[in-house]
Amino acid sequence: METGAIRISYFAKLRELTGCSGEKMEFPQPTSVSALYQTLQNKYGGLLDPELIAFCVNDVYVSPEHPIRSGDHVVFIPPVAGG
Amino acid sequence: MDQVQLVRELIRPPNLSFPMAGAMVSFEGRVRSVCGGKSVVRLKYEAYESLAVKELTRIVVETQKKFPVIHIHIQHRLGWVEVGELAVWVGVWSVHRQNAFTACAYVMDQLKNRVPIWKCEQYEDGALSWVGCDDSPRKQHIHAC
């Protein structure tokens, strides 16, 4: 794992809870995508239960343990409801 | 015409025909006026568009591998959609009807399970609610794939 700058996008309920559609973030320690979500839960005071969230990096669904790399675009996917 | 489309205007199902297709099955998903006992006046669909198009395209490719179908077309609305309007349209063309029925159902099941599109309901009193987020939580089925 490495450290560096990443881009995060928020959609739907997460956009409302964070109050923004996205942000850039430096991560000083190597981290996984689920650990990053936990960091953001602390920052924003809750967000959605991680059990409800799917993780997406660079337009691909990934596992919660997926390591974040510098330059990644991370999206946390709330429960989907198309159709 | 793209096989997968996210549209902000009324869905207009394509008028396609294929000489080998003896069957064409379509599914229309419409906005209904009641959900969970609440009166819904309209919905807002939001998508992570780049991934939604990729996932819908993957679903088309997967479905064509699983079932011997000739063509698949999917349109999904984005933005505000009124009660009675089409929210989604799926059409499947095949040689015989059974494969078209089965493939059409498969496309819809996959779409509802994994395509990053979200639905916000607006009720008679003006309140808004993100389906699956604001009501009783349900476990997501999306996993790394």
Side-chain angles (χ1 to χ4, degrees), chain A residues 83, chain B residues 30-32 35 40-45 79-83 87 119-122 129 131:
Chain B
R30 292 175 181 265
V31 176
R32 63 177 182 272
C35 188
V40 174
V41 290
R42 58 181 185 160
L43 301 178
K44 183 175 70 175
Y45 283 102
W80 287 106
V81 186
E82 304 296 324
V83 167
K119 176 163 54 183
C120 186
E121 294 176 334
Q122 185 175 31
S129 174
V131 173

Side-chain angles (χ1 to χ4, degrees), chain A residues 1-73:
Chain A
M1 291 191 188
E2 54 181 301
T3 62
I6 57 169
R7 185 162 60 96
I8 305 168
S9 295
Y10 301 113
F11 291 93
K13 185 69 180 178
L14 284 180
R15 179 172 39 71
E16 289 184 358
L17 291 171
T18 59
C20 61
S21 58
E23 61 186 309
K24 287 185 177 169
M25 195 173 169
E26 292 284 336
F27 59 108
Q29 302 292 327
T31 191
S32 67
V33 68
S34 58
L36 174 65
Y37 186 72
Q38 197 168 27
T39 300
L40 292 163
Q41 281 190 291
N42 295 334
K43 175 179 175 180
Y44 290 105
L47 300 180
L48 292 171
D49 184 336
E51 287 290 303
L52 295 173
I53 298 296
F55 303 100
C56 179
V57 175
N58 303 329
D59 274 4
V60 176
Y61 286 117
V62 297
S63 68
E65 301 77 31
H66 183 87
I68 302 288
R69 294 187 170 83
S70 180
D72 278 349
H73 178 211

Side-chain angles (χ1 to χ4, degrees), chain B residues 74-145:
Chain B
I74 306 173
Q75 285 187 44
H76 201 296
R77 275 289 291 276
L78 296 181
W80 287 106
V81 186
E82 304 296 324
V83 167
E85 289 182 357
L86 291 184
V88 62
W89 189 91
V90 175
V92 179
W93 288 255
S94 66
V95 176
H96 300 294
R97 68 185 184 282
Q98 194 56 54
N99 286 318
F101 279 123
T102 310
C104 190
Y106 179 82
V107 167
M108 274 309 302
D109 289 346
Q110 295 300 312
L111 184 155
K112 292 183 83 74
N113 196 39
R114 63 191 243 207
V115 177
I117 296 175
W118 299 278
K119 176 163 54 183
C120 186
E121 294 176 334
Q122 185 175 31
Y123 306 110
E124 276 183 328
D125 62 0
L128 299 167
S129 174
W130 288 100
V131 173
C133 298
D134 291 327
D135 51 11
S136 16
R138 60 185 169 82
K139 180 83 177 171
Q140 270 303 101
H141 300 294
I142 296 172
H143 299 290
C145 54

